Amino acid sequence: MTAVKKVPFHLTNTLTRKKEEFVPSDPPHVGLYVCGPTVYSDVHLGNVRTFTSFDVLYRWLTHIGYNVRYVRNITDVGHLLGDAADGEDRISKGARAEQLEPMEVVQKYTNGFHAVMRLFNNLDPSIEPTATGHLLEQVEMVQRILKSGFAYESNGSVYFDVPKYAEKHGYGGLSGRKIDELLANTRGTEGQDEKRSPLDFAIWKNAEPEHLMKWNSPWGVGFPGWHLECSVMSTKYLGSTFDIHGGGMDLKFPHHECEIAQSVAADGQVPVRYWMHTNMLTVNGRKMSKSEGNGFTPEELISGDHKLLDRGYSPMTVRFFMLQCHYASTLDFSNEALQAAEKGLSRLMAATDLLPNLRPAASSEVDVAALEQRCYDAMNDDLNTPVMIAELFEGVRIINSVNDGKLSLDQEGIDQLSRLFEAMVFDVLGLMREGAGAASDRVLDGLVKEFIHMRAEAKASRDFATSDRIRDRLLELGIQLNDTKEGTTWNKV
RNA sequence: GGUCACGUGGCCGAGUGGCUAGGCAGAGGUCUGCAAAACCUCGUACAGCGGUUCGACUCCGCUCGUGACCUCCA
């Protein structure tokens, strides 16, 4: 048996816009940082897509033998709502609207976020730091940036001096921006008189009296700039230069650009070796976003209680739907696509469940190793889950054919295929079996078996009217009967 | 306006300079008392117009269309 080549992994580094071989700086350790949610409202499906993509990255790196430290933050300090600096941020606004303490808002939506992550079977990160838990470190980073001369204090706030930094180190490399173009496109300059350049961004912001979340600092009462927390927490836990930093495409500029500038200004180190950006989930071709209000919450998705949903879909259907598309492509959400995914997933799972019952042949007509190799190749090629899933469906065909006695597979081949499916379907893609199967509900199983028995008797006496009535009635109740050579089986539909 | 993507068969979505993606739906077939499931076969798709090439869906240019970022967003 030829050995399957499980490495090297390649990923598209958005810093270079090229697919590169992934070589960790300190193997087998890998440092992975992903920008987490701002917890001022419910997460929607677009957020879920991003975190699911990185969940698969985390699972894959782990699967091919790396020891991954996965850091994903919780942004629990509100960002200002606009440049107008009216002293209000999203969390404060939410707190006022819901008559809650800001930290109650934070807790509420953090809990909700965790519940959603679990619902979609996303693994917990190794560390989940919060911005409020790292105030001291953020103040210290501001001080280091001030000391390096790339920031200035103005009226109780501290701003990052973008033009000065750009002159020395260059700015905009990640997102492909040029300083002149950025300046030419600057809009809305009112309320920015504290800044020397409209491109400058706050790394510490003076708090208005009505601002709810604020802390003492060397520059007065205020709160940290919103790019700062990621710079602080990523480097604190992963080192001044770490392997992979991920996030949604919409964070590329300015958020990630600013992170790079801050780290270089503060510590003289380029913080990230590989940047990975996931694309957006769209609805009718438009980005799903909180501000557009076109997002579904997971509850609405499962219940189907939303004007754009024909009916509900299970979390695993949605996860599978997402993984049938490459992370770097936009994915358009539609009922038809969801329904297709639902059926495909059910076929994949049905075949997976057949694996333990396959009867081995003396010889094998199938090259399972080749299939396995194609799965590894697909995943190592920039996490190409759609191609890997396509290979899995080749496996489904094999499993069903063997089950039908149309193809022979020896015990070794069955074992190898079982291991492959176990690894890819459950460990790597992170899919789970859903719903009550026959084995999980003894009463139901007993009742259905009794009906199957009655129907068999009716069939034996060629009373097909009765046997069909039993089958049709059960189907109406969501129980599908399947006649096979070995007898009748059932499953929920 | 600037920058950058994308436009694949009924739908969703991979991919590649010449060789089958895959899923769902549809058609025909095998099996079955009939179904369901499963398996087999099928559609010759790559926005349009030029160019490069022996050959382009894949490279280049233009046109049209859509979207993202430039402001909080995954």
Side-chain angles (χ1 to χ4, degrees), chain A residues 345-415:
Chain A
L345 175 63
S346 135
R347 201 158 81 87
L348 176 65
M349 283 304 185
T352 305
D353 290 341
L354 280 176
L355 270 165
N357 305 323
L358 293 185
R359 296 193 179 155
S363 64
S364 185
E365 298 175 88
V366 183
D367 187 352
V368 180
L371 179 70
E372 186 174 3
Q373 185 63 64
R374 290 197 301 274
C375 286
Y376 278 89
D377 289 348
M379 289 303 288
N380 278 326
D381 183 15
D382 202 20
L383 234 47
N384 200 330
T385 51
V387 168
M388 194 271 264
I389 289 171
E391 298 298 348
L392 248 25
F393 275 106
E394 170 69 11
V396 166
R397 210 202 83 238
I398 293 166
I399 292 165
N400 286 327
S401 294
V402 171
N403 187 241
D404 286 353
K406 292 170 179 164
L407 198 64
S408 61
L409 192 58
D410 57 19
Q411 188 62 55
E412 192 190 336
I414 291 172
D415 292 345

Side-chain angles (χ1 to χ4, degrees), chain A residues 15 65 76 81 108 153 212 276 364 400 460:
Chain A
L15 189 62
D76 59 350
L81 282 172
K108 176 182 172 184
E153 190 183 345
L212 296 176
M276 177 171 153
S364 185
N400 286 327

Side-chain angles (χ1 to χ4, degrees), chain A residues 117-340:
Chain A
M117 288 298 99
R118 231 160 269 142
L119 194 60
F120 288 92
N121 203 26
N122 285 325
L123 299 173
D124 293 331
S126 325
I127 303 175
E128 192 169 53
T130 61
T132 53
H134 296 76
L135 254 300
L136 272 179
E137 290 90 336
Q138 293 182 75
V139 167
E140 285 167 8
M141 189 163 199
V142 172
Q143 288 174 320
R144 292 204 300 282
I145 297 172
L146 275 168
K147 199 174 165 194
S148 71
F150 291 113
Y152 55 89
E153 190 183 345
S154 173
N155 198 23
S157 295
V158 181
Y159 290 98
F160 193 93
D161 192 333
V162 171
K164 186 175 178 186
Y165 173 85
E167 205 172 305
K168 176 112 184 263
H169 298 289
Y171 177 82
L174 178 67
S175 55
R177 315 280 154 144
K178 294 190 173 59
I179 284 284
D180 318 348
E181 289 166 0
L182 285 171
L183 280 170
N185 290 314
T186 304
R187 44 166 133 149
T189 50
E190 68 276 12
Q192 297 196 342
D193 40 327
E194 289 180 358
K195 297 189 197 176
R196 290 179 192 166
S197 160
L199 302 184
D200 295 350
F201 56 90
I203 51 181
W204 186 266
K205 191 82 182 69
N206 167 42
E208 304 290 323
E210 65 270 29
H211 199 90
L212 296 176
M213 299 180 93
K214 54 196 171 189
W215 293 266
N216 281 317
S217 81
W219 315 282
V221 176
F223 55 96
W226 74 281
H227 309 301
L228 203 62
E229 57 176 289
C230 287
S231 289
V232 161
M233 296 187 284
S234 60
T235 53
K236 170 163 181 168
Y237 297 111
L238 299 173
S240 53
T241 298
F242 58 95
D243 293 311
I244 306 175
H245 187 136
M249 293 247 301
D250 49 357
L251 295 183
K252 222 169 163 183
F253 188 89
H255 186 57
H256 291 155
E257 205 70 76
C258 294
E259 278 188 51
I260 295 173
Q262 286 167 343
S263 283
V264 171
D267 304 313
Q269 300 268 338
V270 175
V272 179
R273 302 176 63 237
Y274 300 87
W275 282 92
M276 177 171 153
H277 288 97
T278 57
N279 217 321
M280 300 293 107
L281 182 68
T282 60
V283 182
N284 295 325
R286 301 243 165 210
K287 175 185 173 185
M288 184 181 283
S289 73
K290 292 184 180 178
S291 47
E292 291 244 355
N294 61 350
F296 311 110
T297 65
E299 290 74 28
E300 290 166 335
L301 181 82
I302 292 163
S303 68
D305 186 17
H306 190 284
K307 62 179 186 299
L308 288 167
L309 293 168
D310 290 350
R311 59 176 175 81
Y313 303 94
S314 75
M316 285 305 110
T317 293
V318 175
R319 186 177 176 101
F320 184 69
F321 163 69
M322 289 175 173
L323 296 177
Q324 273 191 298
C325 169
H326 187 80
Y327 75 83
S329 301
T330 55
L331 172 61
D332 197 59
F333 185 97
S334 71
N335 283 285
E336 274 181 304
L338 259 306
Q339 279 158 28

